Amino acid sequence: MAEVDCEQVLVEIYTYLDGELTSEVREAIHVHLDGCSHCLEIYEFEAELRQVIAQRCRDAVPPDLRSRIAQAIGLEVAPDDPAPGTGALF
């Protein structure tokens, strides 16, 4: 894939953001983004949206739910286990 157009870039934008493309396709999209302000704007919006979601959408799992899940899969959970997001399983 030597050259891509806007439609192809927009179809692949999520796989590009996920890093799930071959190096050849990734490079072609990168070149296109360097020269197309419209697609670059969409890419930047999607990348920023993902960051905001990743940073702000972190609901804590209630302790009783953590315990029930741990029991269901055969784990023991101590009351002082680390909170979610700090290396704990739940």
Side-chain angles (χ1 to χ4, degrees), residues 57-74:
C57 295
R58 295 184 181 172
D59 292 337
V61 177
D64 63 322
L65 178 58
R66 283 182 59 214
S67 295
R68 289 187 306 168
I69 292 171
Q71 286 176 342
I73 61 174

Side-chain angles (χ1 to χ4, degrees), residues 9 15 17 19 23 28-29 32 37 43 45-46 53-54 61 67 73-74:
V9 169
T15 50
L17 284 164
S23 58
I29 291 175
H32 180 87
S37 61
Y43 164 77
F45 173 82
E46 294 296 338
I53 290 170
V61 177
S67 295
I73 61 174

